[in-house]
Amino acid sequence: MRAGVIVFPGSNCDRDVIIALKTISNFKPKILWHKETEIPNLDLVVVPGGFSFGDYLRCGAIAAKSPIINSLKDHASRGGSVLGICNGFQILIETKLLPGTLITNKNLNFVCKDISLITQKTRPSPFTNGLTPGDKVNFPIAHNDGNYFCDDELTKKLHNEGQIAFKYSPNDNPNGSVDNIAGVLSENGRILGMMPHPERAIENFHSSQDGKLFFNGLIKHLLG
Amino acid sequence: MIKVVLEIFPKEEVLDPETKIVTKSLQDLGFDKLKEIKLGKQILIYLNEQDKEKALEYSKQMCEKLLVNTIIQDYKVYIDEEK
Amino acid sequence: MRVSREQEIALEETKNCTLEKAIEMGLSKDEFELICKKLKRTPNFVETGIFSAMYSEHCSYKSTKKWLKTLPTSGKQVIQGPGENAGVIDVGDDNAIVFKIESHNHPSFIEPYQGAATGVGGILRDIFTMGARPIALMNVLRFGEENNFLTKHLLNGVVKGIGGYGNCIGIPTIGGETYFHKSYNKNILVNAMAVGLAKKNKIFYSAASGVGNPVIYVGAKTGKDGIHGATMASAEFSDDTQEKKPTVQVGDPFTGKLLLEACLELMETDSILSIQDMGAAGLTSSSVEMASKGKLGIHIDLDKIPLRENNMSGYEIMLSESQERMLMILKQGSEKKAERIFEKWDLDFSIIGKITDTEKITLLKNNKVICNLPLNLLVEDAPEYHRDYKLTSNKNQLSSKEVAIDKSIKDILYKILGHVNFCSKKWIYEQYDSSVMGDTILTSNDSDASVVKIHGTEKNHFKGKGLAISTDCTSRYVKNNPEEGTSLAVVEAARNLVCSGATPMAVTNNLNFGNPEKSEIMGQIVGSILGIKKSCEFFNTPVVSGNVSLYNETNGKSIMPAPIIGMVGIINDIEKVINLHAKSKRSILVLGQNENKIDGWLGCSFYQEVIHDKCDGKIPSLNLEKEKKLMDFLLSINSLGLIDGAHDVSDGGLLPCLIEMLLKKKLGINVILPKFFDDLKNEDFYKLHGWCFGEDQSRILISTEDKQKVIELAKENEIEIFHLGQTNSSGEILLGKLDRFSIKKCYHIYANKLPKIMI
């Protein structure tokens, strides 16, 4: 499997996701520096979590103007898979590769805790390949601006088109996201943005190992 | 009613990382005439008050008490005449 | 002809300093006169500023040096003891652990967000300066009373600041403690501890070497941050008459992250000879210390320093405490390589001077020497005071009868669980990213110590080694008996590590006290150091780094003394790590007490603090031999796989600590009381209070599936043991036939206290 992880100044989950991918797939992902202008032929590009450019101005806004973004868009239009986690999700939103927006958590506090997600029935997507709709998966969250916001029309569209990958439990929505949305797919299902961190739910000593399930399904699909 | 505009900016001598990073990012995007941008905050205050002087003084009190962190921020208040 | 402002400044700066100005800068009359005598001339303004910084308590440890020297600092495990940016210990597999704790008390009171954020940034730089990648952050916080109007504002700002820096730079904050007391109303404490991982043979030090080698400045630009406004009074230099307050230091975790990555990248190459971060007293202390440690001299051209604003005087440049800056000595010829790395990370890089053989510091500004001082005068000859001290200890032993009040156990328990110093700190810790880096095993909410995996120690089927960290200090004990109380703080830190399955290794400390010029306060300091010495020698846990924060007083009233102990330990197999949550259908046993114990130590206890709002009396006594035996026993039964939960009995005593073990899974238990309580007479109620809430030391609660085996082994090893009962899923807690309550109610009280305050 050929995977790459983009590193922006301020990315801080790049190492974690590289380790997770390597542990599960045995392939070491390529590190892609944000100033590179070409992404080689890859199956998967991960935009990792962190505080790219310090989260100044708006989370993800400055990273979305980095040189590498044009080639990321090319990769996406070629049908390549893209996974944005946390700040990566915010960047994909700012690049318009994913719809909607992410605003500050409802209680205005950064929140870090383990959270239960409900897998949704989606359009065909490599990212929900290993998961059964309705099943619960547990991943940690750690963010300040993870409150997914979109208008009713878009919410309806996301539902109808099967573009919602994960929802928080209705009684445990940690940030105020519309309709408890935690992860969103692109129209072709090949781009996923999500606030929770599956790469932090791999090892036996992690509070959950559901990240294995997630990445296993993804890798299996990509290796096809 | 009087509408008072409050503008808050980081003090000149205090480091403002956001200004620094955003300025540099715009310059990197080719805006080479840009010397510096300043990011601040605007707050609109609507007062049940007729006297402009009193309105300004009253607003300043709110600034000093809560709205402005005077240790790292400067501010100015003025009356929005259009209202 | 009009002279430029720059010329004007230069002219003023090189004028002889007056005694009056020197005192304004913080030197004493004696110190200034001695300087003039030894220098055989009067220093100018810049030079006096440098003296005042180097002679400050923070840089010179002038009140405590004499006593700190007596601490045990060496051992088989020690690679670097005190005197460097941080301490370093050997943890096997060619790995070294680098750690230190440091205070940022005063700045956090002035501007809580920035004060706390720059405190975290500063301690992180101390760690990666040594060549280590930071892997964990801890913090110890002290605030005023919960109903003081400032407390909420300060707590909110400090928590946001710690999170703001730690979360952004991507180092997990995995534990610590928060304590409220009125003595901190106007003098909060913010102590941050950082731990890093390095390769044993790739540690970087600060001593300069090699005459002629380039001195490099990297990182953020220099501004007027943190310069004391009282010095170089504005009237002489400034056109505006506005009073100049010290400019608050602002943390920029984003630049901090870039600096971290750039430094570690450069360290991979073979270019750096020595490196030091610019912390307190900025360029002054970093340059002086590097040159002095290397027994060399240093020459700096201040016009080469990257500045954030024009018109900064030499004094301001030398004393600025702008964040995210480093000073390095490079091997000649590697400047280009280094510059490329810093360019990649968008950081300033400037060759600002060179190493000389003069044993002097010389500073150039506008091609004019504005400072020329012998280094020995700044460092070796810095004052060392033998302050008067009065050792005190409260010998008045209070019986439980004197402390207990005639209320039900349930009432007291609820008061303790809902007390701000006991309740859940979830409101705080959920604002810290504790899982970034993917190596966090347990935070201090799930175990008595916080545990991270030592990255890269896993191999085939072996899951790896763990590093456990604990921070401790029970200030009410220290106040009543500085020596024994601080000795106990070390013991509790060690016991906490053991309760997570770790073997204690080494210590860092942060001594927060009032004014050392008062003999009682100096007595607290001396007593504390003696206490640390006693326990650390006994447990072979040398002190490898530390920090002193004095003059924590308001209106002549000192804070509750807070000699904070940060201790690290090693878990040889992370699969043997212990958390504090009991499982259902397990036996709960208490180690260190037996059925004959029918009372307890309530003097100076948390019970006394909660019920009577005071803390006095003789503190619980401690037998180090007994403690050591208990810890060894716990580790041995853990290695046999016999325990699946452990929690030390500390604040609040046996019952509240038992409840803490049951909270997460909302378990119930029928507590078996000693026979004595079967027919308890009304007038003996205080004995039950003593049993439930007493703070006798050297006790640990454990949860096990194999009660018989544990009891058998305990008897064999002469460890006192008492079976408290079996956990169940009913959620009902029965205290024999004497009282009953539900775990849900306990949880409700415990969980909701802090959110209620912070609304």
Side-chain angles (χ1 to χ4, degrees):
Chain A
M1 188 190 66
R2 292 153 305 170
V5 175
I6 303 182
V7 179
F8 297 97
S11 294
N12 65 28
C13 303
D14 41 330
R15 188 185 79 155
D16 312 5
V17 81
I18 287 168
I19 290 170
L21 284 170
K22 185 161 177 288
T23 306
I24 292 167
S25 73
N26 259 324
F27 295 101
K28 194 169 191 272
K30 200 174 149 52
I31 295 171
L32 308 166
W33 184 239
H34 71 115
K35 282 185 180 163
E36 289 173 29
T37 48
E38 250 173 75
I39 291 182
N41 194 13
L42 298 171
D43 303 313
L44 170 72
V45 175
V46 181
V47 190
F51 285 67
S52 58
F53 296 93
D55 269 2
Y56 294 126
L57 197 60
R58 286 186 312 278
C59 302
I62 299 176
K65 302 290 174 212
S66 285
I68 201 163
I69 295 299
N70 281 333
S71 44
L72 179 69
K73 286 178 175 167
D74 291 344
H75 166 87
S77 62
R78 286 197 300 263
S81 297
V82 182
L83 170 63
I85 303 169
C86 201
N87 189 226
F89 186 14
Q90 294 163 341
I91 294 168
L92 294 181
I93 292 243
E94 283 285 342
T95 57
K96 304 269 194 279
L97 281 167
L98 287 174
T101 190
L102 288 158
I103 58 176
T104 302
N105 296 349
K106 199 174 168 192
N107 71 356
L108 306 179
N109 287 343
F110 186 97
V111 59
C112 173
K113 63 176 183 178
D114 298 326
I115 201 130
S116 186
L117 300 172
I118 305 160
T119 311
Q120 303 296 303
K121 184 166 167 29
T122 65
R123 61 189 310 102
S125 163
F127 296 103
T128 47
N129 185 41
L131 307 167
T132 317
D135 274 7
K136 283 194 171 169
V137 285
N138 292 305
F139 298 144
I141 51 164
H143 60 251
N144 196 70
D145 301 77
N147 183 350
Y148 188 78
F149 181 78
C150 61
D151 58 22
D152 292 348
E153 200 179 322
L154 182 56
T155 317
K156 215 178 277 168
K157 179 183 174 279
L158 293 176
H159 267 118
N160 294 341
E161 303 289 321
Q163 284 180 255
I164 300 168
F166 299 107
K167 284 190 178 188
Y168 305 109
S169 300
N171 54 1
D172 196 14
N173 178 339
N175 49 33
S177 290
V178 161
D179 212 16
N180 308 309
I181 294 173
V184 172
L185 289 167
S186 59
E187 280 178 4
N188 70 357
R190 302 199 73 90
I191 305 174
L192 169 67
M194 62 194 291
M195 289 316 293
H197 288 274
E199 80 280 17
R200 298 186 195 178
I202 305 281
E203 302 286 344
N204 286 340
F205 61 79
H206 289 157
S207 49
S208 151
Q209 290 73 42
D210 292 344
K212 266 190 195 165
L213 205 69
F214 172 81
F215 284 113
N216 265 326
L218 170 64
I219 289 161
K220 222 166 121 190
H221 186 279
L222 293 176
L223 289 174
Chain B
M1 195 176 66
I2 287 182
K3 179 181 173 189
V4 181
V5 182
L6 162 62
E7 282 175 6
I8 306 173
F9 285 97
K11 280 190 179 171
E12 275 302 324
E13 67 272 25
V14 171
L15 172 68
D16 178 17
E18 185 157 35
T19 289
K20 193 178 82 182
I21 302 302
V22 176
T23 303
K24 187 173 175 307
S25 300
L26 285 165
Q27 287 164 342
D28 286 352
L29 285 171
F31 293 98
D32 44 18
K33 286 183 197 158
L34 175 71
K35 185 172 172 286
E36 194 184 30
I37 60 135
K38 276 267 164 207
L39 285 100
K41 192 184 246 180
Q42 193 180 62
I43 296 177
L44 304 179
I45 302 167
Y46 299 90
L47 291 176
N48 288 322
E49 172 67 69
Q50 303 304 324
D51 185 310
K52 287 179 184 174
E53 280 306 308
K54 279 185 188 158
L56 283 177
E57 192 44 46
Y58 200 72
S59 303
K60 276 184 190 164
Q61 283 176 21
M62 288 192 272
C63 291
E64 298 284 336
K65 262 254 149 63
L66 178 70
L67 292 172
V68 181
N69 180 352
T70 53
I71 296 165
I72 53 175
Q73 294 171 325
D74 278 334
Y75 69 92
K76 61 178 180 196
V77 284
Y78 54 89
I79 308 280
D80 187 344
E81 300 288 356
E82 278 176 33
K83 182 80 194 178
Chain C
M1 191 188 75
R2 181 171 154 70
V3 285
S4 76
R5 188 184 130 83
E6 258 175 56
Q7 286 167 311
E8 203 179 305
I9 291 171
L11 213 65
E12 284 293 337
E13 288 202 309
T14 46
K15 276 186 182 162
N16 285 350
C17 191
T18 59
L19 174 62
E20 194 192 353
K21 277 270 170 277
I23 288 171
E24 248 178 60
M25 289 189 209
L27 287 168
S28 72
K29 180 168 179 281
D30 290 348
E31 285 167 354
F32 185 67
E33 281 167 358
L34 198 69
I35 289 166
C36 295
K37 196 176 137 206
K38 288 203 172 167
L39 201 58
K40 300 195 182 73
R41 65 178 170 89
T42 304
N44 65 30
F45 281 95
V46 183
E47 291 170 330
T48 310
I50 288 171
F51 271 112
S52 106
M54 293 309 297
Y55 283 16
S56 71
E57 199 67 64
H58 190 94
C59 292
S60 73
Y61 294 95
K62 57 191 171 190
S63 297
T64 52
K65 197 166 17 178
K66 171 184 169 184
W67 295 99
L68 291 172
K69 278 182 200 155
T70 66
L71 287 172
T73 57
S74 57
K76 213 166 68 218
Q77 68 273 49
V78 178
I79 295 175
Q80 174 66 51
E84 271 290 337
N85 284 294
V88 187
I89 58 166
D90 186 341
V91 292
D93 315 304
D94 286 330
N95 283 327
I97 289 293
V98 179
F99 66 105
K100 191 184 180 185
I101 189 166
E102 201 162 74
S103 63
H104 225 208
N105 302 338
H106 191 61
S108 300
F109 183 75
I110 307 275
E111 215 307 300
Y113 184 98
Q114 296 299 344
T118 51
V120 173
I123 194 65
L124 285 173
R125 277 196 304 285
D126 280 333
I127 303 305
F128 69 79
T129 305
M130 306 283 302
R133 179 173 285 279
I135 56 172
L137 283 164
M138 305 274 286
N139 53 70
V140 177
L141 312 176
R142 296 278 200 263
F143 296 98
E145 294 157 294
E146 57 180 284
N147 51 9
N148 183 280
F149 71 102
L150 272 176
T151 297
K152 190 174 146 179
H153 156 77
L154 291 168
L155 175 61
N156 191 46
V158 166
V159 169
K160 293 274 187 307
I162 290 171
Y165 204 101
N167 299 347
C168 180
I169 198 166
I171 316 293
T173 301
I174 56 171
E177 53 164 40
T178 309
Y179 182 82
F180 300 79
H181 186 269
K182 56 179 178 275
S183 69
Y184 305 109
N185 275 352
K186 289 191 171 172
N187 196 127
I188 62 171
L189 302 184
V190 175
N191 292 185
M193 176 173 171
V195 180
L197 175 63
K199 284 286 159 222
K200 201 162 89 179
N201 55 359
K202 285 285 260 180
I203 306 288
F204 289 83
Y205 299 98
S206 59
S209 63
V211 173
N213 281 329
V215 177
I216 314 287
Y217 170 114
V218 297
K221 289 184 166 49
T222 296
K224 290 180 182 171
D225 317 38
I227 304 163
H228 202 277
T231 54
M232 294 299 265
S234 47
E236 282 134 34
F237 298 137
S238 168
D239 299 326
D240 56 353
T241 48
Q242 190 201 353
E243 185 200 0
K244 282 212 168 161
K245 284 185 202 146
T247 306
V248 170
Q249 310 158 39
V250 171
D252 178 6
F254 172 61
T255 303
K257 169 75 173 166
L258 304 186
L259 188 62
L260 162 68
E261 297 302 336
C263 285
L264 292 182
E265 193 173 324
L266 182 59
M267 283 164 173
E268 289 285 311
T269 70
D270 196 22
S271 313
I272 301 177
L273 286 170
S274 45
I275 176 165
Q276 162 100 23
D277 92 297
M278 289 189 231
L283 191 53
T284 295
S285 72
S286 52
S287 59
V288 167
E289 278 172 26
M290 286 180 95
S292 155
K293 277 182 195 159
K295 303 251 170 299
L296 293 164
I298 192 164
H299 173 82
I300 296 174
D301 183 352
L302 295 183
D303 297 323
K304 300 271 171 62
I305 307 282
L307 299 180
R308 207 167 71 223
E309 43 192 313
N310 303 324
N311 290 337
M312 280 182 70
S313 68
Y315 173 90
E316 287 168 330
I317 294 169
M318 287 308 287
L319 272 294
S320 161
E321 293 193 355
S322 289
Q323 301 290 299
E324 341 296 351
R325 304 178 299 160
M326 291 275 191
L327 203 58
M328 307 189 296
I329 317 293
L330 291 185
K331 280 186 185 160
Q332 283 184 53
S334 48
E335 297 93 326
K336 278 277 163 272
K337 186 166 43 178
E339 189 170 6
R340 269 198 302 275
I341 290 176
F342 284 90
E343 219 165 65
K344 170 186 163 192
W345 291 100
D346 284 328
L347 293 164
D348 272 292
F349 175 99
S350 178
I351 301 170
I352 61 166
K354 59 174 194 284
I355 294 301
T356 65
D357 60 1
T358 58
E359 296 186 31
K360 281 182 171 187
I361 176 169
T362 50
L363 303 176
L364 211 61
K365 192 157 193 290
N366 299 327
N367 291 320
K368 212 177 133 196
V369 175
I370 60 163
C371 164
N372 183 6
L373 293 173
L375 290 164
N376 62 355
L377 216 53
L378 290 165
V379 184
E380 287 95 350
D381 291 0
E384 180 177 334
Y385 291 128
H386 304 268
R387 300 207 188 273
D388 288 339
Y389 64 96
K390 199 166 91 196
L391 289 174
T392 54
S393 72
N394 192 335
K395 295 194 177 64
N396 177 27
Q397 186 168 353
L398 299 171
S399 69
S400 57
K401 197 173 181 175
E402 289 167 273
V403 181
I405 59 162
D406 193 2
K407 281 247 168 93
S408 74
I409 295 295
K410 180 159 58 186
D411 285 348
I412 308 267
L413 176 69
Y414 288 171
K415 276 214 161 74
I416 287 176
L417 293 175
H419 193 276
V420 68
N421 287 335
F422 194 94
C423 70
S424 167
K425 303 298 184 295
K426 187 170 162 180
W427 184 89
I428 296 173
Y429 67 73
E430 274 195 355
Q431 298 192 50
Y432 304 147
D433 191 339
S434 55
S435 53
V436 64
M437 293 184 93
D439 289 327
T440 303
I441 300 175
L442 292 169
T443 66
S444 59
N445 317 297
D446 293 317
S447 173
D448 283 359
S450 310
V451 184
V452 289
K453 188 181 85 173
I454 301 179
H455 200 79
T457 50
E458 66 278 7
K459 210 177 193 177
N460 302 327
H461 292 295
F462 178 63
K463 295 291 182 195
K465 288 186 182 178
L467 183 81
I469 314 162
S470 175
T471 52
D472 284 282
C473 172
T474 307
S475 288
R476 60 176 187 277
Y477 292 167
V478 179
K479 185 170 167 71
N480 281 282
N481 189 335
E483 183 173 350
E484 287 299 308
T486 312
S487 162
L488 258 174
V490 176
V491 169
E492 199 187 330
R495 199 191 297 139
N496 283 334
L497 292 180
V498 168
C499 285
S500 74
T503 306
M505 295 281 284
V507 160
T508 181
N509 60 26
N510 203 341
L511 306 177
N512 305 278
F513 290 95
N515 180 352
E517 291 158 45
K518 296 178 186 167
S519 61
E520 314 85 75
I521 301 292
M522 196 60 213
Q524 286 179 352
I525 299 169
V526 172
S528 275
I529 293 173
L530 293 174
I532 294 171
K533 175 175 152 65
K534 182 168 129 189
S535 287
C536 284
E537 274 174 355
F538 184 84
F539 288 106
N540 183 28
T541 51
V543 178
V544 296
S545 58
N547 178 242
V548 177
S549 170
L550 304 179
Y551 298 94
N552 290 293
E553 298 205 349
T554 312
N555 300 332
K557 278 199 85 172
S558 164
I559 56 159
M560 283 267 271
I564 306 295
I565 304 299
M567 196 185 268
V568 299
I570 291 297
I571 298 173
N572 283 318
D573 176 355
I574 57 168
E575 294 194 295
K576 288 275 156 62
V577 69
I578 315 170
N579 69 33
L580 68 79
H581 308 299
K583 291 182 182 153
S584 187
K585 295 188 181 139
R586 295 291 194 276
S587 295
I588 304 288
L589 298 154
V590 52
L591 304 176
Q593 85 176 53
N594 59 27
E595 66 280 4
N596 298 326
K597 181 176 164 55
I598 49 157
D599 201 339
W601 196 297
L602 287 181
C604 204
S605 65
F606 191 61
Y607 180 107
Q608 189 196 35
E609 180 183 332
V610 172
I611 303 298
H612 301 287
D613 190 24
K614 64 175 182 181
C615 49
D616 63 7
K618 187 168 185 256
I619 70 170
S621 47
L622 176 75
N623 179 333
L624 285 172
E625 297 287 347
K626 189 182 164 201
E627 182 75 43
K628 179 84 170 60
K629 236 172 94 178
L630 175 78
M631 293 182 191
D632 289 345
F633 179 70
L634 187 89
L635 289 175
S636 76
I637 58 173
N638 184 47
S639 67
L640 296 173
L642 285 170
I643 46 180
D644 51 21
H647 186 25
D648 88 311
V649 180
S650 53
D651 267 7
L654 188 68
L655 183 61
C657 292
L658 169 67
I659 300 289
E660 279 184 301
M661 293 182 81
L662 308 174
L663 281 172
K664 182 153 185 182
K665 301 202 167 75
K666 314 267 188 315
L667 300 175
I669 187 171
N670 299 342
V671 178
I672 303 161
L673 295 172
K675 290 216 166 34
F676 173 84
F677 294 118
D678 282 354
D679 43 351
L680 182 67
K681 295 185 202 83
N682 273 343
E683 66 267 28
D684 279 344
F685 79 92
Y686 60 87
K687 289 194 173 163
L688 183 63
H689 285 224
W691 190 84
C692 288
F693 304 110
E695 290 182 5
D696 307 77
Q697 293 298 303
S698 309
R699 293 182 296 161
I700 296 173
L701 285 157
I702 59 162
S703 149
T704 179
E705 254 190 313
D706 196 346
K707 180 182 76 176
Q708 289 315 326
K709 182 79 186 165
V710 172
I711 291 177
E712 197 180 297
L713 286 170
K715 296 238 155 94
E716 240 171 65
N717 288 278
E718 294 171 324
I719 300 287
E720 294 177 332
I721 190 162
F722 182 73
H723 178 222
L724 280 171
Q726 199 175 34
T727 56
N728 57 53
S729 53
S730 73
E732 284 296 308
I733 295 151
L734 276 73
L735 198 62
K737 289 177 184 138
L738 298 175
D739 214 337
R740 64 184 301 160
F741 29 88
S742 84
I743 194 74
K744 277 203 177 128
K745 170 94 183 187
C746 290
Y747 181 80
H748 183 81
I749 294 169
Y750 175 79
N752 290 335
K753 172 70 179 181
L754 202 52
K756 236 184 267 166
I757 299 175
M758 296 311 296
I759 278 169

